[in-house]
């Protein structure tokens, strides 16, 4: 059973639009949720993260919304740019073990 | 800043062959990780090490061995390559396991088995 699920698998938006990437999880021991951005041929890099005590985290054009009760979170990318085209992974950390579990990723394409 | 260097970038092997992937980091991080990334899939943890000479199995350790002989390096061995196997192996490091706020990844080793 997949513990971290992402949707959609792929998403295409036009430059300037807001892209919304979704993530849900099963395990209530997860307490920290980083999002990683991966460009082709490179390793993932931390983009933004949120702890379970918060419901929102903003960093420039990137915002995470977190709903602990529903075990859902979303990454909003406002004013999307072609340079944002990448694969985005949602991950969740187990409070007790520190282990990170990754979702399967969303491939974002931003068309100019 | 630091860097994680993975070698080789591309690895082509034969079925049944033993293959070794290497990773070096100069962050002076305690914890290092090996992940496997299959096309269209997330990252799955193979092995990790919280300090020199330590080894911990991840979810996907069967068919792999690992070695952490010094703090800065972590190697992964595919004990018997499977025919038509194709995946990217990513090495990462972080300050500590339980407070791994941020993982730093290398660019990966792409494995193809003929």
């Amino acid at each position: 059973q997949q513990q971290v699920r992402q949707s959609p698998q792929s998403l295409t938006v036009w430059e300037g639009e807001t892209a919304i990437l979704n993530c849900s999880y099963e395990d209530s021991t997860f307490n920290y949720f980083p999002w990683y951005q991966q460009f082709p041929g490179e390793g993932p890099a931390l983009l933004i993260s949120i702890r379970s005590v918060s419901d929102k985290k903003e960093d420039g054009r990137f915002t995470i919304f977190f709903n602990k009760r529903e075990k859902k979170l979303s990454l909003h990318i406002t004013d999307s740019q072609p340079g944002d085209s990448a694969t985005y992974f949602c991950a969740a950390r187990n409070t007790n073990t520190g282990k990170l579990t990754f979702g399967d990723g969303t491939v974002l394409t931003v068309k100019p | 800043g630091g860097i994680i260097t993975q070698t080789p970038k591309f690895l082509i092997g034969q079925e049944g062959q033993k293959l070794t992937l290497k990773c070096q980091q100069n962050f002076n991080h305690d914890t290092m990780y090996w992940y496997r990334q299959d096309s269209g899939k997330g990252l799955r943890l193979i092995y990790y090490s919280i300090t020199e000479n330590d080894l911990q199995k991840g979810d996907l350790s069967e068919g792999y061995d690992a070695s952490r002989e010094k703090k800065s390096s972590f190697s992964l061995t595919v004990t018997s390559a499977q025919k038509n196997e194709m995946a990217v192996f990513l090495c990462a490091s972080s300050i500590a396991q339980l407070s791994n706020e941020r993982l730093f990844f290398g660019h990966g080793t792409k494995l193809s088995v003929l």
Side-chain angles (χ1 to χ4, degrees):
Chain A
Q1 184 185 10
Q2 192 163 16
Q3 292 206 32
V4 177
R5 289 195 184 89
Q6 290 187 247
S7 65
Q9 276 189 308
S10 63
L11 175 65
T12 299
V13 300
W14 293 102
E15 185 175 354
E17 290 185 332
T18 296
I20 300 175
L21 290 67
N22 301 303
C23 181
S24 63
Y25 62 97
E26 303 285 333
D27 192 337
S28 47
T29 64
F30 290 155
N31 68 340
Y32 171 71
F33 302 87
W35 285 81
Y36 282 82
Q37 179 188 54
Q38 184 179 31
F39 295 107
E42 296 183 10
L46 180 67
L47 178 65
I48 187 172
S49 61
I50 193 167
R51 299 178 194 280
S52 57
V53 293
S54 301
D55 55 15
K56 182 180 175 182
K57 176 80 173 287
E58 215 169 326
D59 184 358
R61 296 186 294 108
F62 302 91
T63 303
I64 300 174
F65 293 93
F66 180 64
N67 185 323
K68 188 172 183 175
R69 186 179 59 83
E70 293 188 10
K71 294 182 184 167
K72 289 182 178 178
L73 54 159
S74 60
L75 174 67
H76 292 226
I77 306 173
T78 56
D79 188 25
S80 296
Q81 301 296 310
D84 296 331
S85 298
T87 301
Y88 292 81
F89 291 100
C90 171
R93 185 179 70 190
N94 182 293
T95 313
N96 301 318
T97 64
K99 182 188 162 190
L100 269 182
T101 300
F102 286 83
D104 284 350
T106 293
V107 178
L108 174 66
T109 303
V110 181
K111 290 191 171 179
Chain B
I3 192 167
I4 294 191
T5 304
Q6 290 188 238
T7 55
K9 276 190 177 178
F10 300 97
L11 183 56
I12 298 175
Q14 302 287 335
E15 185 183 9
Q17 197 176 359
K18 188 172 170 179
L19 302 165
T20 298
L21 293 68
K22 294 189 182 294
C23 176
Q24 296 267 350
Q25 54 101 355
N26 63 359
F27 288 101
N28 199 34
H29 284 164
D30 290 314
T31 307
M32 295 186 75
Y33 311 78
W34 276 107
Y35 284 90
R36 175 180 166 128
Q37 183 175 23
D38 291 277
S39 180
K41 292 289 183 184
L43 283 63
R44 290 182 289 171
L45 184 63
I46 306 172
Y47 268 99
Y48 66 99
S49 165
I50 61 174
T51 188
E52 188 177 324
N53 292 319
D54 174 74
L55 281 178
Q56 309 281 340
K57 290 184 178 181
D59 300 320
L60 207 65
S61 59
E62 192 170 330
Y64 302 95
D65 284 329
S67 173
R68 181 96 182 269
E69 287 149 358
K70 12 182 223 184
K71 188 174 182 179
S72 62
S73 65
F74 193 27
S75 61
L76 180 74
T77 298
V78 180
T79 55
S80 178
Q82 301 298 303
K83 189 175 172 67
N84 296 325
E85 182 175 6
M86 201 180 315
V88 174
F89 291 85
L90 291 163
C91 177
S93 70
S94 68
I95 294 173
Q97 165 65 1
L98 286 180
S99 61
N100 56 355
E101 298 286 301
R102 182 174 183 175
L103 265 60
F104 292 83
F105 285 88
H107 284 198
T109 292
K110 189 169 185 177
L111 171 67
S112 298
V113 181
L114 304 176

